[in-house]
Amino acid sequence: MLTKIKQLLLTPGTDDNTRPEDKLQLACAALMVEVGISDAHFSGRELALIKTWLVEELNLTADVADELIKEARAEQDNATSIHQFTSLINQYSDHNYKRNFVTKLWQLAYTDGSIDKYEEHIIRRIADLLHLPHLDFIRAKKRAHHRTQSSKQPPHN
């Protein structure tokens, strides 16, 4: 997955000065990139959404966002656990934050117009590891689908 993020977040002795907010943001970034690369069609639209989210919502620089995405894509085939990242989200966020985050993951998956089985699988695993009830998982999916459909409609005159 994301070796540099793992080193920053999970290596003993390196996280002494890392604020909980930074750990939470980087864990979310790692999972978002993982969802984006989970299917074989990592589109330019998915890439743009991930980069926008990393820059605007997580306050990362464009260069750092590019590096995270590049590394994630290069290491896509490595079979590593997402548990480290979901554990950090569980530790540093509340139920509402987790619901909103899973909605964002669904929005990312809907970016290319359809949900790939691998995208759905990884989002389901993330939601399970975040201890979200199935109802919240379904509601997040519906909210994301509605938002995606609403943004595609032309403005009314």
Side-chain angles (χ1 to χ4, degrees):
M1 194 175 287
L2 298 171
T3 305
K4 289 179 184 176
I5 293 177
K6 280 186 181 181
Q7 288 172 348
L8 176 65
L9 297 178
L10 306 172
T11 304
T14 61
D15 62 348
D16 297 336
N17 295 324
T18 306
R19 299 177 326 172
E21 300 83 21
D22 295 335
K23 290 180 183 184
L24 177 62
Q25 290 175 344
L26 289 171
C28 290
L31 292 172
M32 181 162 264
V33 169
E34 191 66 18
V35 168
I37 64 174
S38 65
D39 64 359
H41 308 289
F42 190 43
S43 72
R45 292 179 70 198
E46 288 174 311
L47 177 65
L49 180 61
I50 292 171
K51 185 173 179 179
T52 298
W53 189 73
L54 293 174
V55 171
E56 291 179 2
E57 295 191 29
L58 300 184
N59 297 316
L60 301 176
T61 67
D63 290 340
V64 170
D66 286 337
E67 182 61 32
L68 291 177
I69 293 167
K70 179 181 173 184
E71 184 175 344
R73 292 178 75 181
E75 297 185 25
Q76 180 177 2
D77 294 329
N78 292 347
T80 57
S81 173
I82 59 173
H83 185 265
Q84 298 99 327
F85 301 114
T86 56
S87 293
L88 288 167
I89 295 171
N90 284 328
Q91 183 177 357
Y92 295 116
S93 71
D94 62 15
H95 184 80
N96 190 49
Y97 185 94
K98 294 175 200 179
R99 271 194 325 231
N100 290 334
F101 178 64
V102 171
T103 300
K104 284 191 177 302
L105 295 178
W106 280 118
Q107 286 176 286
L108 175 63
Y110 276 117
T111 300
D112 57 7
S114 65
I115 301 293
D116 180 86
K117 66 182 178 180
Y118 298 111
E119 290 170 323
E120 181 157 359
H121 174 74
I122 194 150
I123 295 170
R124 183 177 302 274
R125 281 182 51 212
I126 291 167
D128 286 345
L129 290 170
L130 293 177
H131 312 294
L132 284 179
H134 185 69
L135 183 60
D136 286 341
F137 171 80
I138 296 300
R139 285 179 178 163
K141 185 176 182 179
K142 287 182 178 182
R143 272 193 311 272
H145 185 263
H146 177 72
R147 288 178 187 165
T148 304
Q149 294 304 309
S150 296
S151 67
K152 291 180 181 178
Q153 295 176 2
H156 298 287
N157 289 333

